[in-house]
Amino acid sequence: MERGKLLVISGFSGVGKGTTVKMMVEQFEKYKLSVSATTRNPREGEVHGEHYFFVTKEQFEQMIVDKELLEYAEFVGNYYGTPKSYVEENLEKGNHVILEIECQGAEIVKKLVPEAVLVFILPPSAEELKRRLIGRNSEAPEVIQKRLLRAVEETEFLKNYDYFVINDLVENCMVNIDKIIENDQPLLATEEQIEEIVTDIKKFEKGE
Ligand code: 5GP
């Protein structure tokens, strides 16, 4: 059995990563989504074991000590980490495993697993990102502000990524990511598009 591929998907808060990966695992049996552990509180509708394993800070720190995590990072005041065993078991079975994680974790994974494929999902524009983040109505305004500022910091990590896909429509985004894995002519963001979006995201820092 050929080993599956490890697919890391990152993107700024609110870009639609969660919806995209959910659709990928629903459409294609070959993809399995790793469920992360986190210390953040569940959002409305989030289910333990499905969206995340919601754990306490103490439990999370024990997982670190017990070396149960492939990687972990702190993001806007909470820990997030990838349980190692699920990833290993599924790659072994020939499944492609998706890690929907932020940039520091992605950097660690790239070092540990150099053949991992790193994809960054971009919004069609910085304005649209802000609209989506506010529109999902799940966070307090100060948390939204922190996440937008975090997006500015994340622009420094883009050099680690192998591919950039724009999420104009979640369906297209999903198909393009699948094409990356299948080496089948994906539609990728151009250098100019990336530069324009990043320049505009950086303006969030100045409160624009
Ligand atoms: P959210 O709170 O919006 O669900 O997630 C916040 C950020 O943490 C997102 O960028 C998400 O991709 C990332 N994230 C989720 N799980 C993990 C994980 O296991 N490891 C790392 N490093 N980041 C994660």
Side-chain angles (χ1 to χ4, degrees):
M1 167 75 71
E2 198 179 333
R3 222 174 131 76
K5 292 183 184 174
L6 186 57
L7 171 58
V8 174
I9 298 186
S10 304
F12 308 121
S13 247
V15 79
K17 306 179 288 289
T19 319
T20 306
V21 297
K22 186 167 175 276
M23 200 182 255
M24 280 184 81
V25 294
E26 280 169 4
Q27 294 267 330
F28 305 102
E29 233 178 279
K30 61 190 168 185
Y31 294 112
K32 300 289 171 206
L33 180 60
S34 157
V35 178
S36 298
T38 183
T39 58
R40 93 152 156 69
N41 291 325
R43 293 188 188 124
E44 207 175 309
E46 282 184 333
V47 177
H48 180 80
E50 186 182 323
H51 298 91
Y52 281 109
F53 296 107
F54 296 100
V55 298
T56 62
K57 190 159 177 273
E58 290 68 32
Q59 287 170 322
F60 197 99
E61 284 168 350
Q62 193 58 47
M63 292 173 89
I64 299 174
V65 172
D66 294 341
K67 300 199 176 0
E68 287 177 26
L69 301 173
L70 176 64
E71 61 72 40
Y72 68 92
E74 196 244 322
F75 183 92
V76 192
N78 283 299
Y79 278 136
Y80 295 80
T82 305
K84 212 187 275 182
S85 54
Y86 179 88
V87 174
E88 191 41 47
E89 281 162 24
N90 276 284
L91 291 177
E92 195 59 36
K93 281 189 206 158
N95 293 320
H96 301 320
V97 178
I98 301 177
L99 308 185
E100 191 243 285
I101 63 177
E102 53 70 65
C103 299
Q104 305 160 82
E107 189 167 81
I108 297 169
V109 172
K110 191 68 190 176
K111 286 192 182 124
L112 289 174
V113 188
E115 67 276 17
V117 179
L118 270 65
V119 176
F120 197 90
I121 303 182
L122 290 164
S125 68
E127 261 320 293
E128 176 60 19
L129 180 73
K130 207 172 186 176
R131 255 198 304 276
R132 288 183 191 176
L133 195 50
I134 294 169
R136 75 181 179 188
N137 238 337
S138 58
E139 273 108 352
E142 59 275 19
V143 176
I144 291 177
Q145 194 51 34
K146 280 190 191 154
R147 284 177 176 247
L148 287 173
L149 290 177
R150 180 65 199 154
V152 179
E153 292 169 12
E154 284 179 326
T155 59
E156 299 299 324
F157 287 82
L158 298 189
K159 59 184 184 307
N160 293 333
Y161 289 81
D162 304 307
Y163 300 95
F164 295 86
V165 174
I166 295 183
N167 184 16
D168 49 357
L169 258 183
V170 65
E171 180 94 32
N172 295 344
C173 185
M174 171 197 76
V175 166
N176 278 312
I177 296 175
D178 180 54
K179 285 184 173 182
I180 290 171
I181 295 297
E182 298 295 343
N183 295 317
D184 180 21
Q185 303 180 327
L187 181 63
L188 302 173
T190 63
E191 290 284 334
E192 292 73 27
Q193 285 173 315
I194 299 171
E195 197 176 317
E196 188 183 337
I197 294 164
V198 168
T199 305
D200 287 345
I201 295 257
K202 285 184 176 164
K203 293 180 188 161
F204 290 154
E205 202 164 34
K206 303 189 200 98
E208 285 174 35

